[in-house]
Every structure is written in C-alpha cells, then in structure tokens.
Amino acid sequence: MKTYRESTGKMRKYYQLILVVICFISVVTLLIYRHEYYRLRYVLEVLNFFGKPGLSEIEFCGPGFNASLLSEIMRNSSMEVRETPPMFQQIDENFYTYSSFLRSYQKYGQLTQYDAHVIDTIVIGKSNAHPKFRCNIWLVNSDNPKAGRFTLKLVSESSNGYNLYLFQCSLTKNLGTPVGVSFYVNDYNINPIHAPINRVVQVNTKRNIRESSSIKFVNNIELAACVVPNQVPMVSRDGFIEFLAFQHMMGINYFTIYDSMITEDVIKRLNLLPEDITQWNIKFFPLNYPFIFSQSYETVKKAIELDCLFRHFKLDKEEANKASHIVVLSWDEFLVPREHNSIKAVLDDFDPTRKVRTFEITPLMFCLNQNDDDNAEFGYPSIMKKTSYYKLNQNLSPTYVRNLDLMPSFEDIPDLNTSTESVQLEVLGMHKYTECRDPKMYNINGYNETQLQVLPHKFEGAMLRFAQNLLSNKIYGLYRTGKIWEKPHEVREML
C-alpha cells in the first residue's frame, strides 16, 4: 500500500515535468517571436526607404518590378539614394515605363493650364507597336485610383527599333495629392488593378528667369553631368576615379550616376572622402536594362537624359549653386577644351549672353590599343598616353550640353533640338577612349598595332596638356597612392 509521502513525491515530479515542458515551449515561442519581430522591422525599414507605409501592395512590388533591382538598391544603401529611384517596369510586351514626374498647376495662379495635375512618364517602346493605353492616378491615403486622361508625345525615334515617348496622365480636378501613376492596355477585359505603378517625383512647373542686363549670368555656369554605362557596360576602378577627377577638374560639380555595375566597395571608399575636400555632389541610381543592351543603348541614354533634366528642373534656379547646364556622358567619354582650362570658360567665351539652348560637341574616337605617345611620361594614366583619334566606320553620336536657363517651362524640356549650335573642334572636343575593333570580325583584343597604323588617324594632344594637373589633383593623388582607403580624418591629415 502506497503512503501519502510517496504519492506526493510522484505529483511533484509530474509538476516539474510540466514546468520544464512549459519553459521549453516558452523559449521556442520567444525565439519565433523575436525572429518575426526582426523580419517585420526589416520590412518597415525597406518601406521607409522607398516611402511612407500605406502604399498598396502592387505599388511597392507590382508586375514588372525587378526584384534583383530592389536587392541592388538595398545592397548599395551606402549610395544614399534619397530620391525615388527610376526603374524600368513593363506595361506589356512592347512598352516599358521608366520614371514619372508630377506637375500640379494648383500651386501657380498665373498659369492657365486646364488640368489640375499632369504626370509625365518616360517610356521606351518598340517602334513597330502603337501605344494604346489608359491610365490611373493613385492619390495619397487612398487605395482606389482615379481614372486619368491619357495622351502621349513621341520624343525621338531610334534606328534600332525603339522609340522614346512621354506618356501623360492628367486629372481635370484636384481630388488629392497624386503619389503614383499606372498604365494599362485599353481593353476592358483586363483588370487595371494589376498594372505596375510608378511613384511620381514632384517637380516645378516653371523656372523663374531673373532680370539682368544684356550680358547675363556672367560667371554663373553650374555644370552637372549625368553618367551612363559604357557600351561595354563595365568600368574599372581606375576609369571611375579618372573620370570623376578629370571632369571635376574641368568644372563639373554635380554628378548623377545611373549604373548598377559600380561595386559597393568603390562607393563606400568614395564616401570616405570629406565633402569639403571633394567639393562635388554625387547621387547614384541603379540601372536595370529590360532590352538587349547594344540595340537599345542610344534610346535608353536619351531616356536617362530626360530623367536627368526633369530632376534638375525641379530645383528652383533662385537657390544658390544649382545646375544651369546638363551633359550626359559615359565613363569613357571626356570633355576636353583646346585653349581654355575648363568647360565653364569655354561656355563663357562661346555664349557670353547665354542664348544658346543646346551645344553640340564633336566626338572623337581614341583607340586604347594604339601605341603610347612618346611624350607621355611614365605614370600617366592611359587616357593621357593615347594621342591619336581614328576615323572608323562607327557612327558616334554627338554630345550635347543643355542650357536649363532657356527652358523656363517644364513643357520646353522635351523639345531638345531647338536652338542648337555646334562648338568647333578647335575649341572643345569629346574624347571617347575605347578598344577599337573590326565590327565584321570577332576579336576580343581588337585591332593590333600594325592594323591601327594603316587606319586613318590624326594626332590630337589636347588631353596631354592636362596630365600634370590631373597627377597633382588631390583626389586622384589619394587614389594613386592608396590613401583614399584611409579613414576620413586620416585623409584630411594627409592633405
């Protein structure tokens, strides 16, 4: 017969076992809760990075959204992308939107625009397809979009089968603040709720032109460069630093870089440089290509130029140190003056009254596989050692410098071919440094030295005269010595 003490002892063991099980379940539950908490916090950080929470699911990650691009943006968060980044999103099999810009006329009493809100969207489409779409405008704090009025404008045609458009979606009444726009096929059998949404960037509708004398804006040129990938979309670390240092030396202070091939390490290292030493402003935007790179290159480059112009136009010119002139360059293209020491000086001399809207600059092809110039000293970068340009059967597009001060209204920007003047090669040239190859033959190394000697070429030593200035440049010197990788306060002490 069991005693009371034995029964009590067994009960205590059961209680202990139950407590151990409860503790185990509690610990597991706590770990799961902690894991889910950090996942939720990460998602909120991502949402905060792209905008305030409350956007519909389709807007944040709708059809056509490039998931690898999101990963790229988050991986390169050190790039400090503070604006809504542009990205290609597919509307249908023939058309892709890039970026959208909002003009709200309610702010400007002197303007007589009929529509309260107009959203301009940069679109690339195949030239054999005709765009027939409808559009919706998404408003803040609303899950249901409003149907807008759709119109379009053909900005440029491409010989490779791609056209550049501006799709416009407008509202006649001010129903709220627009935050996004979507386009969908004009077919009532298709649900428009599944169309990808472009988040809009708000811009000014006009720029205030300042009163002045007949000689306007003297010494007030502020150059900005928008940088696109090379046609072979890779840039070395040397090429990256050489481009920035040289163009900054030529007077360009603002850089907007559209490129996903720049490594995170280079960006982080560049960010170590104190702003008061570099005295430049750099923004980075990832670039996703939805098309065959070589075929659509020129059209995408024009789309990036429009995006760059739109983003700089939104800045009030009355503010100090805002860009007045815009140029689009790839990493292997350099604006090189002949007589002056900077591009600012060239524009001052060529257009003292600031009446030229677009400057057309002649491109020259410099083959990197040519022999080094005998006058180039040891230690010069490659761009200083190659002093002959070649006339090959490659159609190089001219480089254009756009004058934003002659675009007082936002509608003026797409008309880029008006008031164009060519800058003589004796004044300013655009040097393109690349490997020269026979387009009819596959050879990764390009022409050999013997073949290049018999091809038509001409000496041009304008770049060579800037060699010593580049070598003595602080930024370039820090890079060449490896000191650019030091901490900011250590870099400052070295200078």
Side-chain angles (χ1 to χ4, degrees):
M1 183 176 179
K2 294 182 181 180
T3 65
Y4 174 81
R5 182 173 297 178
E6 290 175 343
S7 300
T8 304
K10 288 186 177 181
M11 291 297 293
R12 287 180 179 173
K13 290 180 180 179
Y14 285 127
Y15 286 141
Q16 290 174 353
L17 179 61
I18 293 173
L19 288 174
V20 170
V21 172
I22 293 174
C23 289
F24 177 78
I25 295 174
S26 300
V27 171
V28 172
T29 305
L30 179 62
L31 292 176
I32 295 174
Y33 173 82
R34 183 175 181 272
H35 175 71
E36 294 298 321
Y37 166 79
Y38 281 113
R39 285 184 59 189
L40 177 60
R41 192 175 71 171
Y42 174 77
V43 171
L44 291 175
E45 288 175 353
V46 173
L47 289 172
N48 185 58
F49 181 81
F50 286 97
K52 295 181 179 179
L55 303 180
S56 63
E57 177 185 356
I58 186 172
E59 178 177 356
F60 181 68
C61 212
F65 184 87
N66 191 322
S68 62
L69 180 65
L70 173 61
S71 175
E72 178 73 15
I73 293 173
M74 294 307 301
R75 184 177 66 84
N76 291 326
S77 58
S78 60
M79 293 181 180
E80 297 184 3
V81 181
R82 298 176 182 175
E83 298 182 30
T84 301
M87 70 178 71
F88 284 103
Q89 295 195 91
Q90 184 177 14
I91 307 176
D92 64 9
E93 63 274 10
N94 297 313
F95 294 91
Y96 288 78
T97 62
Y98 186 52
S99 53
S100 299
F101 299 87
L102 168 67
R103 293 178 280 154
S104 296
Y105 286 86
Q106 290 273 329
K107 294 181 178 181
Y108 306 97
Q110 297 179 355
L111 300 179
T112 58
Q113 180 74 16
Y114 174 72
D115 298 317
H117 301 295
V118 178
I119 298 175
D120 298 271
T121 301
I122 301 171
V123 177
I124 291 181
K126 295 179 181 178
S127 56
N128 59 359
H130 182 70
K132 295 181 179 179
F133 295 102
R134 299 172 69 86
C135 65
N136 281 334
I137 292 180
W138 298 76
L139 305 174
V140 66
N141 298 326
S142 176
D143 294 332
N144 298 316
K146 301 297 182 182
R149 182 167 61 93
F150 174 78
T151 57
L152 64 87
K153 178 178 182 180
L154 179 64
V155 178
S156 68
E157 297 182 2
S158 172
S159 59
N160 288 328
Y162 295 94
N163 293 342
L164 179 63
Y165 298 91
L166 272 182
F167 285 4
Q168 288 190 339
C169 190
S170 57
L171 284 177
T172 59
K173 296 181 180 180
N174 185 13
L175 302 176
T177 303
V179 293
V181 63
S182 59
F183 299 91
Y184 55 96
V185 179
N186 189 9
D187 186 345
Y188 287 99
N189 294 323
I190 296 178
N191 190 346
I193 200 69
H194 297 308
I197 298 176
N198 271 34
R199 189 176 179 88
V200 300
V201 178
Q202 193 163 1
V203 295
N204 288 340
T205 305
K206 63 178 182 178
R207 283 167 73 100
N208 294 327
I209 302 300
R210 289 166 290 182
E211 298 292 334
S212 62
S213 61
S214 59
I215 306 298
K216 301 194 299 182
F217 308 120
V218 176
N219 298 324
N220 196 37
I221 291 176
E222 285 293 341
L223 277 164
C226 295
V227 190
V228 300
N230 300 335
Q231 289 180 311
V232 178
M234 287 296 293
V235 56
S236 65
R237 184 184 289 178
D238 285 354
F240 178 80
I241 298 296
E242 286 170 7
F243 177 90
L244 293 178
F246 183 84
Q247 302 295 5
H248 185 247
M249 194 170 65
M250 292 296 101
I252 298 178
N253 297 325
Y254 298 89
F255 297 91
T256 304
I257 298 172
Y258 299 78
D259 199 333
S260 292
M261 299 304 293
I262 307 300
T263 64
E264 183 180 7
D265 178 64
V266 171
I267 302 302
K268 286 183 176 180
R269 302 294 186 177
L270 191 65
N271 285 341
L272 291 176
L273 294 174
E275 293 183 1
D276 58 329
I277 293 177
T278 59
Q279 295 182 348
W280 61 34
N281 181 282
I282 300 181
K283 291 188 295 187
F284 293 85
F285 291 128
L287 179 62
N288 63 324
Y289 256 93
F291 318 101
I292 298 175
F293 190 87
S294 58
Q295 293 182 1
S296 61
Y297 181 81
E298 290 299 326
T299 306
V300 173
K301 188 175 180 179
K302 292 176 183 177
I304 289 174
E305 181 181 32
L306 265 186
D307 181 88
C308 184
L309 287 167
F310 286 170
R311 290 177 187 272
H312 279 282
F313 188 89
K314 73 172 186 168
L315 301 174
D316 191 347
K317 192 63 184 71
E318 294 293 342
E319 298 179 25
N321 300 324
K322 299 304 179 184
S324 62
H325 292 71
I326 306 292
V327 62
V328 177
L329 298 168
S330 58
W331 295 109
D332 56 4
E333 296 176 345
F334 295 78
L335 293 178
V336 185
R338 300 296 188 256
E339 299 176 354
H340 303 81
N341 291 322
S342 70
I343 305 169
K344 287 185 177 183
V346 172
L347 299 182
D348 265 328
D349 193 21
F350 188 82
D351 182 31
T353 58
R354 310 293 190 266
K355 292 182 179 179
V356 178
R357 176 172 168 146
T358 297
F359 303 87
E360 182 178 288
I361 303 169
T362 304
L364 302 176
M365 174 79 79
F366 287 77
C367 298
L368 289 175
N369 41 333
Q370 66 177 288
N371 290 327
D372 292 345
D373 190 282
D374 294 335
N375 295 321
E377 297 182 9
F378 178 78
Y380 279 9
S382 295
I383 58 176
M384 304 296 181
K385 297 178 181 178
K386 314 301 180 180
T387 53
S388 291
Y389 65 90
Y390 288 75
K391 298 181 180 179
L392 304 177
N393 294 325
Q394 300 183 24
N395 295 324
L396 293 180
S397 301
T399 297
Y400 299 100
V401 179
R402 313 290 187 183
N403 185 353
L404 275 175
D405 283 334
L406 291 183
M407 303 177 191
S409 175
F410 195 85
E411 291 89 343
D412 297 330
I413 298 179
D415 300 323
L416 297 175
N417 296 324
T418 58
S419 181
T420 300
E421 290 193 21
S422 298
V423 181
Q424 298 89 343
L425 185 58
E426 294 77 14
V427 177
L428 178 67
M430 193 281 286
H431 294 194
K432 188 175 184 68
Y433 294 87
T434 185
E435 298 286 339
C436 296
R437 299 179 174 87
D438 186 348
K440 298 180 181 180
M441 297 180 62
Y442 173 75
N443 185 352
I444 195 169
N445 295 319
Y447 293 110
N448 59 39
E449 295 177 359
T450 303
Q451 292 172 319
L452 285 174
Q453 286 296 324
V454 299
L455 293 174
H457 60 281
K458 186 177 180 180
F459 173 79
E460 176 54 72
M463 177 66 89
L464 191 59
R465 72 187 186 97
F466 292 105
Q468 290 298 331
N469 291 340
L470 181 61
L471 291 177
S472 60
N473 180 271
K474 291 181 179 180
I475 305 302
Y476 187 73
L478 285 172
Y479 169 71
R480 296 287 291 183
T481 59
K483 296 176 182 178
I484 197 173
W485 313 132
E486 306 295 338
K487 296 180 179 179
H489 69 277
E490 295 176 354
V491 171
R492 190 183 303 279
E493 292 172 359
M494 293 171 186
L495 295 174

